[in-house]
Each structure stands twice: as C-alpha cells, then as structure tokens.
Amino acid sequence: QVQLVESGGGLVQPGGSLTLSCAASGNIFGISAMGWYRQAPGKERELVATSGGSTKYADSVKGRFTISRDNAKNTVYLQMNSLKPEDTAVYYCNARVSTLSGSYLNTQNYWGQGTQVTVSS
C-alpha cells in the first residue's frame, strides 16, 4: 500500500560525503514525519535524524549530517559529510504515513528496505 525506496548508499573514504534519498509512494493521504535510522553489525537500530514538527539529530552526527524533505515529492534526503568509519551501517528510511480507506484515516510507520553505507579507506 505504501512503499519507501531508498537510494544513494555505497562505499566512501573517511572524510567523504554521500547523500541518501528515500521516496514514499502509494496511497498516501499525508506524511507527518520522515527520518533516517541506522543499524551497525551487532548493534541495535538507532535514530540518525528526523524531520516532522521539528528536526532532531543524534549527537554523533550533529554538524555533519543534514536532513531535508521535498514534500511535493514525498521524499526525504540525508546529506552526510565528514563521514567516519563508525558511520558504517545499514541506513533505513522511516515515515509516518496516513492513508485513507473510504472515510477511515489510518496512520502508521513504514520502513524502507535499507541501504548500506560503508566508510573505509
């Protein structure tokens, strides 16, 4: 019903940059928030950045990562600069999406399939 498709991951050297994109599609009535999470091997999934009523960043990425949205395209971006090896993880897009079925409005969180980011020399 709703799909999130991520792109832009890859291999980059320390100090380099990458931009991730995530586009939501389907029977979308509205999107109240979009964000990025990441999960490194052996670790739990953690918040990277979210954009809704306010913007929030993990302390570990403040000043290096920037989240932005194109609401007309239902797309969220994550500009990642000054990348470090510890940023290596699978990055997941998340969106809080409302869909309309008849007169019933349903709101739930959706996840993308994940995109690998590897920071290594």
Side-chain angles (χ1 to χ4, degrees), residues 81-101:
N81 298 325
S82 302
L83 282 160
K84 305 175 181 180
E86 50 263 43
D87 294 318
T88 295
V90 177
Y91 283 69
Y92 295 91
C93 174
N94 176 272
R96 186 156 181 81
V97 180
S98 295
T99 57
L100 191 63
S101 178

Side-chain angles (χ1 to χ4, degrees), residues 5 13 15 20 27 37 44 48-50 52 60 75 79 83 88 98 102 107 113 120:
V5 179
Q13 292 186 343
L20 305 182
N27 183 29
Y37 291 71
E44 294 186 353
V48 177
T50 60
S60 59
T75 299
Q79 174 67 45
L83 282 160
T88 295
S98 295
T107 300
Q113 79 284 358
S120 175

Side-chain angles (χ1 to χ4, degrees), residues 14-75:
S17 299
L18 278 177
T19 300
L20 305 182
S21 302
C22 171
S25 62
N27 183 29
I28 298 172
F29 180 80
I31 300 177
S32 55
M34 299 186 82
W36 293 93
Y37 291 71
R38 68 186 181 187
Q39 188 166 19
K43 295 187 177 181
E44 294 186 353
R45 191 173 297 188
E46 63 175 1
L47 169 73
V48 177
T50 60
S51 175
S54 61
T55 300
K56 180 179 179 180
Y57 293 94
D59 288 342
S60 59
V61 307
K62 283 181 181 177
R64 300 188 298 121
F65 291 11
T66 302
I67 189 171
S68 61
R69 288 172 62 178
D70 184 335
N71 292 327
K73 295 181 179 180
N74 290 331
T75 299

